[in-house]
Amino acid sequence: MDFKRAIAEALAKPAAMHADELINWLETPPSPEMGDYAFPCFKLAKTLRKAPPAIAAQLADEIVLPQGVAKAAPAGGYVNFFLDKAAQAKAVLEKVFAENERYGGSDIGKGRNVCIDYSSVNIAKPFHIGHLPTTVIGAALYRIYNHLGYNSVGINHLGDWGTQFGKMIVAYKRWGDHDTIDKGGVDELVKIYVRYHQESEQNPALDDEARAWFKRIEDGDAEALELFEWFKKITLKEVEEVYDILGIRFDSYAGESFYNDKMGRVVDELREKNLLKLDQGAQIVDLSDYKMPPCIILRSDGATLYATRDIAAALYRKDTYDFAKCLYVVAYQQDLHFRQWFKVVELMGYDWAKDLVHVSFGMVSGTEGAFSTRKGNMVKLRNVLDAACEKTYDIICEKSPDLEDKQTIANQVGVGALIWNSLYNGRIKDVVFDWDAVLNFDGETGPYAQYTHARACSVLRKADYKPGAVDYSKLTDPESAAVIAAIGAFPDAVVEAMEKNEPYLVTRSVINLCAAFNKFYYEQRIMADDAAVRQARLALTDATKKAIAIGLGLIGVFAPERM
RNA sequence: GUCUCCGUAGCUCAGCCGGAUAGAGCGUCCGCCUCCUAAGCGGAAGGCCGUGAGUUCGAAUCUCGCCGGGGACGCCA
């Protein structure tokens, strides 16, 4: 199956080197006509004291071709290897059919937990478009790790602590109405919160009141807690509706308030280990040796901070889940924050500090600049999802008027388009939210991949396809070979996506497969007259369908059978 | 000011643990549905890979400087 490995081993003898090293030298030629693998001979020129083309010629001549490799041809300073197309087709398709929905997966993470901190919404704040990246990147990584045998633990680290909840209570007591808020949800909470900020400018006494209320929450006062829990419930109800739409779930909602009683341990331990230092009234960990500003653990008034809470959470997660990795899917603005407290954990003597990973991503802004709840230019995620689904519904009515259950499919495609969009590029890229771009379904978009999947399903349905013996020699044309290569490349893409915590690598792998299949579909008639050809092409179509469905599943996009 | 990330076609991006003519989508222009879903396929046009040095047989890819942009930089999260 592993032709690359086999070629490296075959090269070991004539090149007088270890296969392990040679395998890293092997590359993929720029175009398929040049071969499936290429070995550059330039590096050998020095040790062998010969010109690269001469080395290439010699290697091509001396090598004993492994099973499934048809030809080795020198070309300039390269030796190009051509796989036996039928052998390659057999290897790839049999693997897909043997593994089915597990294709592209493995058990490399078996028995190991990975904590993924993502989405992490704020209570009593709108769930806006800026939360989409962390939510879908985290959810994709969750599935990708699981596919590779890890046990993912999805953690929604709720922003459910801080004086703003004291403010919320003051605002509610003054201007809030229970039924209005019950009905209007987070929007109503935001309204009274905004009003609080307007009024408190004129009336600073409100802030004292808010502090007092927050103190009552901390002290476990019944009325304060009841209101606090109510705000939480209202927010989570709305947020969970969106998670349902996105097909996302969490294993834990342990947020900031959860760690409230777990920070003493952090402070005590830092003090014991002599890491704390009093500076300008605050307790800090000095990081000047590491060219970073100090990490503040306790404010001058003794209150804990963000970093303290994150350290407490990390210790708790290590105790609870004994994670092999703990990922924080948080925007790059917080880069320094994570570098600081990761370093503090390391200084505390925990070797697992190296397993803490900040999975950073770019920021989302509007065409008018940064989004801001106060400015009111914020776009609610729910509204974008709804708009995408509506537009999809219209397109379906136009293109597939006979389709049953249009609304369900429209939702799957509309939502898929949005998720796809967020997972199409590298995480680090900033995103300017643009309705036109989001609602464009042509080209390399989610609907394109879903369409390709539905197309494959349609062919299999019409052909009344039944799996059976396949004559792989019927799949040696360039279009079939390209599809097979794309399917064969998928598992590596999944592994790389996991290693780099970059879901877009899966997205791009799916695109490559879709493009290859659409070309194949156009150039080769799948339902050929010749029975053997037809069966082989149907098997290829089936494998394509399966691989696309798996890929889409990993990034969290639905794969409808019709659209 | 310091640290950090980014700079590839008109736009959005891929390629970056160095290798053979720099790729894709969108947009523009032109083709392809008496046959498996045209949300598709093909073609054209479009790039001194920000810039200057260096390392190397070879640099979009590695190193350094510069220019331009984003972000962060002690009691918010």
Side-chain angles (χ1 to χ4, degrees), chain A residues 1 4 22 26 63 95 146 173 183 200 202 250 252 286 305 315 330 383 416 426 470:
Chain A
M1 171 57 210
K4 192 174 180 182
L22 290 172
L26 281 169
I63 191 169
K95 189 158 195 273
N146 274 348
K173 289 244 160 209
K183 216 175 291 164
S200 69
Q202 268 83 53
F250 293 87
S252 164
D286 182 64
L305 280 126
L315 293 173
V330 178
N383 294 345
V470 175

Side-chain angles (χ1 to χ4, degrees), chain A residues 205-523:
Chain A
L206 287 178
D207 286 337
D208 296 330
E209 226 177 289
R211 267 190 288 275
W213 271 109
F214 181 60
K215 183 86 171 43
R216 285 173 70 174
I217 296 176
E218 285 186 291
D219 295 344
D221 173 85
E223 188 190 359
L225 271 183
E226 193 187 322
L227 286 169
F228 173 64
E229 291 300 332
W230 181 50
F231 297 151
K232 217 163 146 171
K233 204 176 121 197
I234 287 169
T235 311
L236 285 180
K237 180 171 165 277
E238 271 187 50
V239 165
E240 276 169 356
E241 276 173 25
V242 175
Y243 290 147
D244 282 345
I245 293 171
L246 293 172
I248 289 174
R249 49 174 286 277
F250 293 87
D251 300 293
S252 164
Y253 277 90
E256 294 173 2
S257 68
F258 178 81
Y259 296 102
N260 218 35
D261 61 357
K262 297 172 180 63
M263 286 186 285
R265 173 188 168 190
V266 175
V267 178
D268 293 344
E269 204 175 314
L270 285 169
R271 192 165 282 135
E272 267 168 42
K273 292 178 175 167
N274 250 329
L275 292 167
L276 276 190
K277 196 172 123 186
L278 186 66
D279 196 285
Q280 299 170 35
Q283 293 290 342
I284 63 154
V285 176
D286 182 64
L287 297 174
S288 53
D289 286 352
Y290 310 96
K291 291 178 184 159
M292 281 189 275
C295 184
I296 304 181
I297 301 297
L298 289 177
R299 283 192 328 213
S300 359
D301 65 2
T304 57
L305 280 126
Y306 187 31
T308 328
R309 208 170 289 270
D310 270 340
I311 295 168
L315 293 173
Y316 174 84
R317 288 174 191 176
K318 186 64 188 176
D319 285 348
T320 309
Y321 305 108
D322 191 29
F323 55 74
K325 273 194 214 177
C326 184
L327 313 182
Y328 296 85
V329 186
V330 178
Y332 65 59
Q333 277 109 321
Q334 298 192 32
D335 198 41
L336 177 61
H337 164 72
F338 283 104
R339 279 178 31 228
Q340 285 179 306
W341 77 257
F342 285 179
K343 178 57 79 178
V344 171
V345 172
E346 184 192 320
L347 293 173
M348 288 170 88
Y350 294 113
D351 64 341
W352 50 264
K354 65 176 172 19
D355 304 323
L356 301 169
V357 184
H358 178 203
V359 179
S360 62
F361 57 86
M363 49 184 259
V364 182
S365 59
T367 40
E368 307 289 304
F371 287 125
S372 141
T373 307
R374 287 191 196 163
K375 277 193 216 156
N377 65 345
M378 176 270 308
V379 180
K380 287 187 81 171
L381 184 49
R382 182 63 194 261
N383 294 345
V384 181
L385 288 166
D386 290 347
C389 295
E390 274 168 39
K391 163 151 186 190
T392 310
Y393 187 81
D394 292 344
I395 294 176
I396 288 177
C397 289
E398 183 196 322
K399 294 186 191 271
S400 313
D402 300 330
L403 191 63
E404 286 172 39
D405 209 2
K406 291 192 187 67
Q407 194 59 59
T408 304
I409 307 291
N411 291 349
Q412 292 180 344
V413 176
V415 171
L418 231 48
I419 294 175
W420 178 280
N421 241 288
S422 250
L423 299 176
Y424 177 60
N425 289 325
R427 295 179 334 242
I428 204 65
K429 294 286 174 184
D430 286 333
V431 180
V432 175
F433 178 79
D434 176 20
W435 281 102
D436 292 339
V438 163
L439 296 180
N440 169 41
F441 296 165
D442 293 329
E444 295 178 347
T445 62
Y448 169 76
Q450 293 171 312
Y451 171 81
T452 308
H453 177 264
R455 210 181 202 189
C457 289
S458 171
V459 173
L460 295 169
R461 205 161 45 232
K462 288 200 172 154
D464 193 23
Y465 169 68
K466 299 274 188 301
V470 175
D471 178 355
Y472 293 101
S473 70
K474 305 297 185 197
L475 298 175
T476 55
D477 60 278
E479 289 79 23
S480 300
V483 174
I484 288 157
I487 297 173
F490 179 72
D492 286 344
V494 178
V495 171
E496 200 184 348
M498 180 275 288
E499 287 170 347
K500 295 184 172 168
N501 296 308
E502 280 283 19
Y504 87 95
L505 293 167
V506 172
T507 312
R508 299 280 175 155
S509 185
V510 171
I511 288 184
N512 290 341
L513 173 53
C514 290
F517 179 77
N518 281 319
K519 173 116 196 201
F520 162 73
Y521 177 94
Y522 185 81
E523 300 287 344

Side-chain angles (χ1 to χ4, degrees), chain A residues 79-90:
Chain A
V79 186
N80 290 335
F81 294 91
F82 295 79
L83 296 183
D84 174 342
K85 295 296 174 202
Q88 192 188 14
K90 182 173 192 290

